[in-house]
Each structure stands twice: as structure tokens, then as C-alpha cells.
């Protein structure tokens, strides 16, 4: 079903004010999926008009995050389309033109108030009922603007380049209604809106003006963005109306909540060990497919039991109808689960290739054959690729100590004797494969009349320094004959 009678054109419109956070990537993803689903166009627009908050590295960071997650855009920086440039800072003349149109048609006005005058207004007009008066229909007639000053004075002020802004003239009493594709009918009282600044004194537009002008000019059919922008929408609706334009359809995505409730702030995230920025997920070794799959479910569900989706499958299944309006809790365990699933799907060769840099960074340089064996043994037991370097370190170097509680649990009175005998038998054997090391162990257990576990547990502890891990015979072979014997003898000596 076509979501509208216009071709689908959606945009991801980040402000380069910092690194892309996880909520931003979700917004990008939903826009991307919606575009793919409807064979539409996915646009990247850089909303860089706020020069005071501009961060130089932010755009590269956004680009890298999109590339990494596979969200290729059809139009945007470097993919110039019919509506270039895609940087708002290069489109100032356009915004200026519409600010002027709004003034000419009586929907906006010049305001000359200085910072001091604004502060004085806030102080003077504050009442108990209205402790924080804003610049709006109730207060504007007491301020210095083109609605209160005589025309010739306004002309003179403008001629002298007196610093001024352009403000939206919000109606005094009116209910502004629009349909949100996710929330249904949403209404706001105009009395609760301030006379939004549209053009700042430096001639740059604010987000609101630039956003509306661009969404119209770039023929955006659906605005899909985070819930934090919902309260801006009534102002935008007023601007569309004043300019005689049909607004795009609006869809505001649910808030991302902390596992402990409430909006997930950077602070909460840090406290809970939840990475905030996409770059952190990349650095922490998450699989792009896993993060994408996880984010798709952070607000949307397919209405079926299926949990694992490729990007193409998501695009096929996605619809705004199945995006919920209420906040969704961020569940790090769920992300880990997704990541495990994707790690398991890799071929061993792929895992080897992905693990190599982590292993190297940890200071190990195993042969391809060893790394292959290790990856094969560990693939189902790790959450992230770099766990190969940390969880499985004992394949690359001798453990340097044993946990006292592990020793207590696994090292018995007969462990030293059994392990010494086992090491001797391993040393004497011609082959060192899983069948051999298993047969030798079971024979020894029979000969000594003990359960196999009496040798398996101390052997694992001696060789890996741990009480858990892959099957012990595979582990021994993975570690290699010489190292196994050395480690067993050392444990016998140290643990007695
Ligand atoms: N520049 C805004 C942001 O940083 C865009 C919001 C919107 O999509 O309208 O998220």
C-alpha cells in the first residue's frame, strides 16, 4: 500500500554538534527502511546552521556510522542530487527569502529587543500564574518590534543594520492539530507556543525555518524523527500554512528509555555501561548487523516471532503502523544476544579475519592454523569478536595464576598425581588429536579407578586457568601438546 500519493522521499537530518548517538542511528535506520520499503529516496541533510555548536569531526563521524551500518543514502553530501547542496549552511539565501516572504505576508516580524530588554521583560511580566513569560502573542505588543514601532522607525533601524531577529507571529488562540503517523491526532494550543525566532541576528536561520524550507524544497514526503521534536511540529505546521505549502506526513519515533525507567540520558547510560555513541559500539566490537537488528526492534516489531532480520528483510517487513508510540527500554542484554547470533553466523574464516586485529592488539601473533582452531572452538561461546583475544587468551599464552575459589573447587587431593600421570602419557603418545587425548584420559581414569571428571577438571584448570570453556579435549589440542604438558607440570608443582 502506498503510504501517500507522493513519491516517498525521507531524510535523516542530523546537526553536526557531536558524535552520532544511538538514538540518531535508529532515526536514520527507520528512515532508510521506510525509503527502501517504498522504493523511495533516502536523503542525508546536514543541519549545520548553528555555528556556535558546530563540531568539526561530527560529520565524518556521522558518515562513518552510516557506512558501517550499511545505511547508504541516495542523495546527500557526496551523492549530489537535484536538491544540492545538502548542507544547510550553504543554503542561507533560500531561508532568508522565505523569512522575508513571511514578513511581507504578516506571519512574521522584525524584533529589535536586546538581551537586556528581553531579560527585563521576563522579569517585569513574570506573575505567579506565569513565572516564565515568553515572547508571544500576550507579550509581543509590549516589546520593540515591527508590530509596535512606527514603520519609518523600523525602516531606519533596518537601514542602520541594527541587530534584529525575525520571529514567527504565532496566533493568540488556536488549537493546532495534525496527524502523526504513529500517534494519531496530536493537538497543541497556540497559546503555549512562543514567537519562535526564525532568523537570528547573524542572518542564519534557526532549525525551525531551515527545516521547514528544506523539507518543502527537497520534496520530503514523510518526516520521521525522534519524539523530542514533536513539540516543534505545531510551529512547523504554522509555517507550512503561512507559506501555502502542504506539510509532509509526520511520524515521531518513541523515546528510548533507560532500563531503569525515564528517558535514557547520557549520564544514565554511562552509569549502566550502555555505550552512547555509535563509534563506541564500533570500537567495542559489535557487529553492524546485530546493532541494526537490535535498533530495528527498539520501537518497531514485525508482529511475528521472527527476531533475526537482515537489512533487506527489515526493509521488506518495516511499516510505520508497527512502530509504537510509547517509550522503549534499552536492553543491553538483548543487544548482546543479537551480537552472539551474528557472531555464530560468521564462517570460521570470517571470524578469523575479524579476530586477527583484536588478537594482535592484545599482543599475540598466533599462526592462521591456531587462530582457526581457536575460533572454531570459541565461536559459540563468545559474545563479541574481541572475546577471542580476552576469553580465549590461554590459547596464546600460559595462564599466570589460578583463582583460589577455582582451585578449591577443582583441585583435589589426587589431582597432582593424576595430572602428572596424564602429562606423562600425553608426552609418550605419538599423536595429539582429540581422540587420542580423550582415550588416554579415559584409560587413565579406568586404570586409577576414578571418574573421568577427576582428571578433566584439574586438566582444564591447569591448562586454561579457568573452570569453563570449550570441550576439554578440543581445548587441549587447541593449546598444543608442548604447552599442555608444560602447564600441567607447572600446576602440579604450584598446587601440589
Ligand atoms: N537537526 C535535527 C536533529 O539534529 C533534525 C530534526 C528533524 O529531523 O527535524 O535531529
Amino acid at each position: 500500500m502506498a503510504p501517500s500519493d507522493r513519491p516517498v522521499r525521507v531524510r535523516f537530518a542530523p546537526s553536526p554538534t557531536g558524535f552520532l548517538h544511538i538514538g540518531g542511528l535508529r532515526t536514520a535506520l527507520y528512515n532508510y527502511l521506510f525509503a527502501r520499503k517504498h522504493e523511495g529516496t533516502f536523503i542525508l541533510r546536514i543541519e549545520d546552521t548553528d555555528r556556535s555548536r558546530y563540531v568539526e569531526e561530527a560529520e565524518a563521524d556521522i558518515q562513518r556510522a552510516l557506512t558501517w551500518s550499511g545505511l547508504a543514502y541516495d542523495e546527500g553530501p557526496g551523492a549530489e542530487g537535484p536538491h544540492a547542496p545538502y548542507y544547510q549552511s550553504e543554503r542561507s539565501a533560500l531561508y532568508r527569502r522565505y523569512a522575508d516572504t513571511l514578513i511581507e505576508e504578516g506571519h512574521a516580524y522584525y524584533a529589535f529587543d536586546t538581551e537586556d530588554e528581553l531579560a527585563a521583560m521576563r522579569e517585569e511580566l513574570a506573575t505567579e500564574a506565569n513565572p516564565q513569560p515568553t515572547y508571544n502573542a500576550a507579550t509581543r505588543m509590549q516589546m520593540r518590534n515591527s508590530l509596535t514601532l512606527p514603520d519609518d522607525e523600523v525602516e531606519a533601524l533596518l537601514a542602520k543594520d541594527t541587530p534584529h531577529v525575525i520571529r514567527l507571529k504565532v496566533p493568540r488562540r488556536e488549537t493546532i492539530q495534525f496527524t502523526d503517523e504513529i500517534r494519531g491526532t496530536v493537538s497543541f494550543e497556540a497559546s503555549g507556543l512562543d514567537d519562535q525566532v526564525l532568523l537570528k541576528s547573524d542572518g542564519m536561520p534557526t532549525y525551525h525555518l531551515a527545516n521547514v524550507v528544506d523539507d518543502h524544497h527537497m520534496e520530503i514526503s514523510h518526516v520521521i524523527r525522534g519524539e523530542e521534536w514533536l513539540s516543534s511540529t505545531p510551529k512547523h505546521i504554522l509555517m507550512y500554512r503561512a507559506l501555502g505549502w502542504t506539510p509532509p506526513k509526520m511520524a515521531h519515533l518513541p523515546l528510548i528509555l533507560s532500563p531503569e525507567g525515564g528517558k535514557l540520558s547520557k549520564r544514565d547510560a554511562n552509569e549502566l555501561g550502555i555505550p552512547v555513541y555509535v563509534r563506541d559500539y564500533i570500537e567495542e566490537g559489535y557487529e553492524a548487523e546485530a546493532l541494526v537488528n537490535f535498533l530495528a526492534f527498539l520501537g518497531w516489531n514485525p508482529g511475528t516471532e521472527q527476531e533475526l532480520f537482515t537489512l533487506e528483510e527489515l526493509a521488506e517487513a518495516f511499516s510505520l503502523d508497527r512502530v509504537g508510540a510509547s517509550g522503549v527500554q534499552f536492553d543491553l542484554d538483548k543487544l548482546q544476544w543479537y551480537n552472539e547470533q551474528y557472531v555464530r553466523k560468521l564462517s570460521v574464516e570470517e571470524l578469523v579475519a575479524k579476530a586477527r586485529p583484536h588478537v594482535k592488539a592484545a599482543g599475540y601473533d598466533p599462526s592462521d592454523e591456531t587462530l582457526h582452531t581457536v575460533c572454531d572452538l570459541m565461536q559459540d561461546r563468545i559474545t563479541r569478536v574481541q572475546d577471542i583475544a580476552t576469553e580465549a587468551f590461554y590459547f596464546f599464552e600460559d595462564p599466570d595464576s589460578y583463582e583460589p575459589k577455582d582451585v578449591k573447587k577443582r583441585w583435589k587431593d589426587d589431582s597432582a598425581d593424576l595430572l602428572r600421570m596424564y602429562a606423562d602419557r600425553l608426552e609418550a603418545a605419538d599423536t595429539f588429536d582429540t581422540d587420542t587425548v580423550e582415550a588416554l584420559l579415559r584409560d587413565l581414569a579406568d586404570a586409577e579407578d576414578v571418574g573421568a571428571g577427576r582428571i578433566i577438571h584439574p586438566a582444564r584448570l591447569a591448562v586454561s586457568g579457568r573452570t569453563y570453556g570449550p570441550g576439554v579435549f578440543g581445548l587441549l589440542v587447541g593449546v598444543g601438546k608442548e604447552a599442555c604438558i608444560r602447564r600441567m607440570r607447572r600446576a602440579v608443582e604450584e598446587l601440589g
Side-chain angles (χ1 to χ4, degrees):
M1 196 174 48
S4 75
D5 37 15
R6 310 161 63 179
V8 166
R9 290 178 56 83
V10 291
R11 83 302 193 279
F12 176 48
S15 300
T17 53
F19 299 135
L20 185 64
H21 56 74
I22 194 70
L25 185 61
R26 184 193 60 170
T27 300
L29 173 64
Y30 285 26
N31 276 284
Y32 173 89
L33 295 176
F34 190 75
R36 289 292 92 90
K37 164 91 185 193
H38 299 290
E39 288 165 22
T41 305
F42 174 51
I43 297 158
L44 175 65
R45 183 172 76 219
I46 304 293
E47 301 209 326
D48 57 350
T49 57
D50 189 349
R51 301 318 277 179
S52 65
R53 295 180 60 218
Y54 181 78
V55 172
E56 178 87 43
E57 315 84 68
E59 191 201 332
D61 182 78
I62 292 163
Q63 296 272 12
R64 171 172 173 238
L66 294 179
T67 308
W68 178 78
S69 17
L71 307 183
Y73 51 84
D74 308 300
E75 285 176 31
E80 306 308 309
H83 299 289
Y86 294 91
Y87 292 96
Q88 288 190 327
S89 58
E90 295 172 15
R91 300 167 65 83
S92 301
L94 189 67
Y95 311 129
R96 170 97 236 176
R97 189 165 103 215
Y98 288 108
D100 291 344
T101 309
L102 286 169
I103 292 203
E104 276 155 30
E105 312 213 328
H107 298 297
Y109 58 90
Y110 298 108
F112 300 96
D113 316 271
T114 61
E115 277 306 321
D116 287 348
E117 286 165 341
L118 290 172
M121 176 272 275
R122 282 184 211 114
E123 202 165 301
E124 271 163 37
L125 300 181
T127 60
E128 215 156 283
N130 185 13
Q132 278 168 326
T134 55
Y135 210 118
N136 61 15
T139 58
R140 69 167 81 104
M141 295 314 281
Q142 298 163 65
M143 306 302 292
R144 273 180 4 103
N145 54 51
S146 57
L147 303 172
T148 58
L149 300 172
D151 287 353
D152 52 353
E153 195 175 334
V154 171
E155 291 299 322
L157 286 169
L158 291 176
K160 275 191 296 180
D161 277 338
T162 314
H164 65 275
V165 299
I166 294 180
R167 285 181 181 270
L168 180 66
K169 193 175 163 203
V170 173
R172 185 172 192 129
R173 264 194 241 342
E174 190 189 318
T175 306
I176 302 159
Q177 256 190 12
F178 57 92
T179 305
D180 185 278
E181 300 296 298
I182 294 168
R183 281 145 223 278
T185 304
V186 178
S187 38
F188 283 88
E189 290 308 321
S191 57
L193 306 179
D194 61 331
D195 281 1
Q196 180 63 52
V197 172
L198 302 180
L199 206 74
K200 293 178 283 184
S201 52
D202 62 2
M204 277 294 215
T206 57
Y207 152 73
H208 304 276
L209 176 64
N211 193 267
V212 164
V213 168
D214 280 347
D215 282 346
H216 173 74
H217 269 259
M218 296 184 176
E219 301 175 86
I220 298 303
S221 63
H222 295 73
V223 166
I224 303 173
R225 63 185 169 200
E227 180 176 316
E228 62 273 29
W229 302 102
L230 186 63
S231 60
S232 297
T233 308
K235 293 177 184 173
H236 300 180
I237 297 288
L238 289 174
M239 289 158 71
Y240 282 108
R241 193 169 75 192
L243 290 163
W245 297 338
T246 309
K249 298 204 174 197
M250 299 287 173
H252 290 86
L253 304 178
L255 284 181
I256 299 178
L257 305 178
S258 157
E260 293 178 345
K263 189 175 176 197
L264 179 63
S265 66
K266 260 177 217 160
R267 222 234 264 103
D268 296 338
N270 285 335
E271 271 168 22
L272 295 164
I274 297 175
V276 173
Y277 300 112
V278 179
R279 60 185 351 218
D280 298 334
Y281 290 84
I282 302 177
E283 225 145 81
E284 292 187 21
Y286 285 96
E287 299 301 306
E289 293 90 339
L291 186 63
V292 161
N293 201 151
F294 167 77
L295 287 179
F297 276 74
L298 205 60
W300 169 85
N301 72 78
T304 64
E305 296 289 295
Q306 186 179 348
E307 287 195 280
L308 298 179
F309 285 80
T310 62
L311 199 52
E312 293 73 44
E313 288 169 337
L314 284 171
E316 185 56 38
F318 189 77
S319 78
L320 288 175
D321 306 347
R322 300 210 63 90
V323 176
S326 40
V328 279
Q329 279 184 342
F330 190 102
D331 180 352
L332 194 58
D333 291 339
K334 191 80 211 193
L335 172 60
Q336 316 268 27
W337 179 84
Y338 274 112
N339 211 70
E340 284 165 13
Q341 307 313 307
Y342 282 91
V343 166
R344 276 160 217 194
K345 279 184 187 211
L346 298 171
S347 69
V348 182
E349 286 70 31
E350 285 169 326
L351 183 54
V352 168
K354 281 180 177 252
R356 176 66 73 186
H358 295 288
V359 169
K360 201 162 193 173
Y364 308 121
D365 190 19
S367 68
D368 274 344
E369 197 191 331
T370 304
L371 193 53
H372 192 282
T373 309
V374 174
C375 286
D376 196 20
L377 285 171
M378 294 301 292
Q379 186 161 21
D380 288 353
R381 323 190 130 260
I382 55 172
T383 300
R384 284 176 276 167
V385 171
Q386 73 259 43
D387 296 345
I388 293 286
T390 53
E391 289 297 300
F393 75 94
Y394 49 81
F395 287 103
F396 314 121
E397 70 178 357
D398 291 5
D400 59 4
S401 59
Y402 317 98
E403 285 289 328
K405 70 170 193 334
D406 294 343
V407 174
K408 192 155 174 259
K409 193 163 150 212
R410 295 304 191 201
W411 196 265
K412 306 290 177 202
D413 290 345
D414 56 3
S415 297
D417 283 339
L418 290 168
L419 218 53
R420 186 180 304 114
M421 287 188 267
Y422 186 40
D424 289 344
R425 291 183 179 213
L426 291 175
E427 198 158 31
D430 303 330
T431 45
F432 197 79
D433 54 27
T434 48
D435 288 346
T436 315
V437 299
E438 176 165 9
L440 289 175
L441 186 141
R442 295 203 187 280
D443 286 351
L444 177 62
D446 283 347
E448 294 300 312
D449 201 18
V450 295
R454 277 308 241 217
I455 313 173
I456 289 177
H457 296 312
R460 176 190 294 286
L461 180 65
V463 170
S464 70
R466 306 237 167 149
T467 55
Y468 56 89
V472 73
F473 305 116
L475 180 140
L476 296 180
V477 173
V479 168
K481 181 169 176 175
E482 208 181 299
C484 279
I485 293 165
R486 179 175 69 239
R487 294 178 192 183
M488 285 180 194
R489 297 212 192 287
R490 186 184 128 200
V492 167
E493 211 165 283
E494 273 185 32
L495 302 173

